[in-house]
Amino acid sequence: MTTKEIISVEAEPYAFDFSPRTCALLLIDMQRDFLEPGGFGEMLGNDVSQLRRTIAPNKRLLTKWRLRAWPVIHTREGHRPDLSDLPPAKKIRGRSKTCIGDVGPMGRILVRGEAGHDIISELYPLPSEPVIDKPGKGAFFATDLHAILQNQGIKQLIVTGVTTEVCVNTTIREANDRGYDCLVPADCVGSYFPEFQKMGLEMIKAQGGIFGWVSDSEKILAALD
Ligand code: TIU
């Protein structure tokens, strides 16, 4: 257990200082359908290895957070089985033959309770860790995440998960507008598209950290030791 109250992580555009009891590790949508070979993501033609490289560094951070009993929160993107919370525009977007709610390789696609919707075994939530089921890309939209963070006095977030330019970026922008500081370890977030990975991170730290800070898991772990 560290005795330091404030931990300083080497980051861009400058050091990220955080107080661990008020800083949650927020893992975005590390779901089987996005990450596993044979899942919905791969069925759409995506290279899941671009996402799978994030599993090991996420596991290292998660293990450390759990050892210290610091706050951990997970999210999952998905919808009610009756699809009553699925906007028609989201359902038909992409003009794909198989869309949200249809039967995919691991059950109904992005439907709560289905195998593919659940979190990968490597990072499976503990019963004590809140899981936010979100219908949108951002984790604050139509969820109780803000209330949970406020109730725990959390002011800062270390945001990891997939995908960098979609749910991770949307969540960070939502968090930033609500007054949270966000640090993103680059090796713990992944995109199917290398150029979006690069620019998704650039956009966060540009202009003096307009949305937040970027670092990597090794630097965070080094700061803790
Ligand atoms: N979690 C998340 O990012 N959902 C997506 O749909 N991402 C895509 O990149 N498609």
Side-chain angles (χ1 to χ4, degrees):
M1 177 72 89
T2 179
T3 51
K4 278 190 284 184
E5 194 60 36
I6 300 292
I7 294 168
S8 189
V9 179
E10 191 187 331
E12 291 181 288
Y14 52 88
F16 181 82
D17 296 337
F18 73 99
S19 176
R21 302 256 163 230
T22 56
C23 181
L25 178 62
L26 179 65
L27 297 98
I28 303 290
D29 300 358
M30 293 297 279
Q31 291 163 259
R32 298 184 62 194
D33 253 336
F34 293 127
L35 285 130
E36 289 194 355
F40 178 52
E42 191 174 75
M43 195 185 88
L44 294 176
N46 295 306
D47 173 11
V48 294
S49 68
Q50 297 286 342
L51 269 49
R52 293 192 64 77
R53 59 162 187 77
T54 69
I55 297 172
N58 263 293
K59 181 85 196 171
R60 288 194 285 274
L61 268 193
L62 181 60
T63 301
K64 184 68 87 176
W65 245 250
R66 284 174 172 169
L67 272 173
R68 308 273 171 110
W70 293 341
V72 174
I73 300 175
H74 305 256
T75 73
R76 298 183 295 203
E77 180 178 354
H79 298 274
R80 295 167 180 264
D82 65 5
L83 305 183
S84 56
D85 62 348
L86 175 61
K90 184 176 180 184
K91 180 159 177 69
I92 63 171
R93 188 73 52 79
R95 297 179 173 171
S96 171
K97 270 209 287 292
T98 314
C99 58
I100 295 169
D102 292 347
V103 176
M106 286 192 276
R108 292 179 67 205
I109 294 161
L110 294 191
V111 170
R112 295 174 193 160
E114 301 289 334
H117 170 265
D118 212 351
I119 292 174
I120 57 170
S121 59
E122 295 91 327
L123 303 173
Y124 207 76
L126 296 178
S128 58
E129 296 167 354
V131 178
I132 307 292
D133 275 321
K134 61 188 186 66
K137 303 305 181 195
F140 289 85
F141 170 68
T143 73
D144 53 6
L145 176 59
H146 188 55
I148 289 173
L149 297 175
Q150 294 289 298
N151 293 341
Q152 295 188 29
I154 291 166
K155 298 178 170 61
Q156 295 178 299
L157 301 169
I158 296 185
V159 186
T160 74
V162 300
T163 63
T164 308
E165 78 279 16
V166 183
C167 293
V168 172
N169 246 276
T170 306
T171 297
I172 287 168
R173 289 165 190 234
E174 289 181 326
N176 183 59
D177 279 347
R178 286 165 176 79
Y180 300 97
D181 288 332
C182 295
L183 172 66
V184 184
D187 55 338
C188 293
V189 296
S191 168
Y192 296 122
F193 308 98
E195 65 273 34
F196 292 167
Q197 170 76 5
K198 183 171 184 300
M199 296 318 295
L201 293 168
E202 293 284 344
M203 280 189 265
I204 290 164
K205 67 184 182 189
Q207 301 185 65
I210 193 127
F211 296 123
W213 286 255
V214 175
S215 184
D216 61 56
S217 64
E218 289 307 317
K219 289 190 172 126
I220 297 172
L221 293 172
L224 298 180
D225 290 337

